[in-house]
Amino acid sequence: MFDKDFWQEVWETIRRQKVRSLMTAFGVFWGLLILMFMVGAGVGFNSGVTMHTKAMSSNTVGYFTFPTTIAYGGLERGRRWVITDADIQAIEQKFPGSIHDQVLVLEVPSPGETQLVKSDSYSDMVIVAGATDNYPSISPLRILDGRFISKFDLIESRKVCVLGEHLAAKLFPGQEAVGKDVHLEGFSCKVVGVMRKTSPLFHMGPNESESLYLPLSTAQLLYNHWDEQNIALFHLNEEYPSDKYYRQFGDLLYQRHSIAPNDAEAMFQVDLKAQLSQMSVVGDGINLLLWLVGLGTLLAGLIGIANIMMVTVKERTQEIGVRRALGAMPSAIIRQIMCESLVLTLAAGIAGLVAGFWGVYLVSSRLATEEGSLFDNPHVPFIAAIAALAVLVAGGLLAGWIPAKRALSIKAIEALREE
Amino acid sequence: MIDFKGIHKTYPGEVPLHVLKGVDLHIDEGELVSIMGASGSGKSTMLNIMGILDDYDEGEYRLAGKLVRNLDDRTEAIYRNKLIGFIFQSFNLIYYKNAMENVALPLYYRGVKRKERNDLAMEYLDKVGLAEHWHHLPMQLSGGQRQRVAIARALITHPKILLADEPTGALDSKTTQEVMDMLCEVNRKEGQTVVIVTHEQEIANQTDRRIFFKDGVIYKDER
Ligand SMILES: Nc1ncnc2c1ncn2[C@@H]1O[C@H](COP(=O)(O)OP(=O)(O)OP(=O)(O)O)[C@@H](O)[C@H]1O
Ligand SMILES: [Mg+2]
C-alpha cells in the first residue's frame, strides 16, 4: 500500500536535512563508484591477460637464438647462430609426430639490426623481419588496413610487406600505405597491410607497430639465409607435453650447434604453458589487489555513513524524543527512519552504480581504440555491483537503525534531554 | 484527572538521588495549577512523570482514571498523543520543519491527512498570532514566537492536560505575559487542565492553585 503522506514526510526529512543527507549519499555514491572502477579494472586486466594469450595454443615451445657467451668445442664465444631447416627436421626425426605447426621468424640482415627503409619521400631506420603467415596466431596484433602475409606470399616469395602503424605513418604521412612501394637496400616491395601490436605482455618477433615484416621465404632468399630463422615456435601435438619436451628440443639444438650446455644465454627457451600459468597468477594477484582496494573504499563509504550517524546521533535522539513526546508510535518512528535511510542509500547507490557502469564503459571504449592496452573490455559483473550496493544499503539502514533503536529504548525524557 | 499517590522517584547513579519522596497530589479536570519550588527540588521530574515521559519507582499514578505503570511503548504513545500536550522551556521544535509543519506534527501521528493537518495548523498559528510566520523555520523566529509555535503544537490535539515546564523561562516579561494569557485562556475557554512549573511568583499568582515543592514532597498547596 502506498501511503503518500508517509512518503512525503520521509522525503521532506531527507530534503530538509541537506548536509546530513548529502554526506550520507556521497559516502555511498563514492564507495560504489570507486569499487566499480577497481573491479572493472581487475576484470579488464584479467580478461586482457586471457585475450593476449588465448591465441597461443598453450602446448607450445619457443626458441629465440642469441650469440653464444661461452667458448665451446673449439669455437669462440660471441658466435652468431640460427635455427636451420635441418635442425627442425632433426627434431622431427628424433621426436616423430611432435610438431603440429610451426611459426618462424628471421630478422634481417641480422637479429636486432636496423636497416634503412624508404618511401618515395621519407625514410627510417627500422628492424625488418621475415615471418610465416601463421605469425598472428601467436603474436597478438591487429591488422588496421589490408592484410597480413599470406601462404601464397610465402610460396612465391613475393616482394610484399606489412608495415607497423608507426612506420607506415612515417613513410606515408597522411596517406594510405597499402598499395605503395617501399624501398629496402637492393630491392623494393609492395605494402599489403598495416598492423598494430596489441599486447604489452608478449610479442614474438620485433615490435609489430614499429617494424617491417616480409614473407619469411622472401627475407631468407633476398638476404641469403635461405634455410635460417632466429625465432621458432612449435605447437606440439598432445603426446608431447611442452613442459616435458621444451628442454629436450633445446638440448638437441645445442648439440647440433656445438653450444656449451651451460650457455643459458645463447638461447631463450620458453614453455608457453608455464608462461601462461605464471601470467594468470599475476593476473589473479592484481585482481585480488584491486578487489581489496575496492572493498577498502566500500568500507570507507560505510565508515563515512557510520560517521555521519555518530555526528548526528544526538540530534537524532533529541528529535526522536520530541516526536515521542508528541505521541509518535515507536514503530512509526523506526519505520520512518528506516525508509529514510533506504531511500537515501538506495538512490545514492543506484546513482553510484550508474555512474560506475558509465565511467567504466567510457574507459573501456577509450581503451578499445588504444594500442597495446593491458586491459580488455573492463566491466563490472552485475552481481558484484548489486552485492556492493546491498552492502552499502544495509550499512545505511544500520546507521539509521542503531540510533533510532537507542533513542527508543531510553525513556522519552532522556531522549529529549540529549543535547 | 491527575492522581499521584505516594510517588517516589530516585535517579540512580554513583550517589542515587532520591528526588520525589512520596508525593500525594490530586488535580481535577479543568484546574489551572502552578508548581513552584527551589531549583533541583524535583518539579520537572514530577511534571515528566505526569506526562509519561519518565517513570517512577513507587506509588500509584492514575491519569484520567487509568493506572500509569509499566505501560508498553504503544500505549504510552497513545496516552501522550491523546491526552497530553507538552510545552518545554527550550521549545523543542524540530529545526528543519517550518512553523506550520511543527504545529501539524502531532496530527501526523494521529493519521490526519496532510492537507487537513496543515489547514488546522494554520488555524492554531492564527490563534497564537503567527499566521504570517507559518513558513519560518524555528531559527528564524524569536524566543517568544517559538514558544507560541510550541503552544500551538501542544494545543492542536485538544489535549485534556497541558503540561508546561517553565514555559516562560527563556522569555522576557512582555512575551511572558502573552504566553501566560494564552495558557489561561485555553483553561478558561476550553476547560483544559493546565499545569505550569515556574520560578516566578507573578506567574503563579495568575493560576487558581499554587503547589509548593520542597525536599521531594509538597509542603504547601494553596488556592
Ligand atoms: N536524569 C537525571 N539523572 C540524575 N539526576 C537527575 C536527572 N534529572 C534530574 N536529576 C536531579 O534531580 C534533581 C531534581 O531535578 P529536577 O529537574 O526535577 O528539578 P527542578 O525542580 O525541575 O529544578 P529546576 O527548577 O532547576 O528546573 C536535581 O538535583 C537534578 O540534578
Ligand atoms: Mg526543572
Side-chain angles (χ1 to χ4, degrees), chain B residues 43-45 165-166 197:
Chain B
K43 306 182 295 291
S44 295
T45 305
D165 193 352
E166 301 191 37
V197 166

Side-chain angles (χ1 to χ4, degrees), chain A residues 411 413-414 417, chain B residues 9-13 15-20 35-48 54 89 165-166 197-199 213:
Chain A
K411 274 174 272 178
I413 189 65
E414 283 166 5
R417 261 198 213 115
Chain B
K9 169 80 179 175
T10 302
Y11 284 116
V15 186
L17 199 64
H18 198 171
V19 179
L20 301 186
I35 299 175
M36 296 193 73
S39 181
S41 57
K43 306 182 295 291
S44 295
T45 305
M46 199 167 86
L47 204 72
N48 293 336
D54 207 347
Q89 180 176 356
D165 193 352
E166 301 191 37
V197 166
T198 183
H199 274 116
F213 226 78

Side-chain angles (χ1 to χ4, degrees), chain A residues 274-287:
Chain A
Q275 207 74 0
L276 289 189
S277 70
Q278 252 174 34
M279 272 195 257
S280 67
V281 166
V282 172
D284 288 346
I286 288 185
N287 210 7

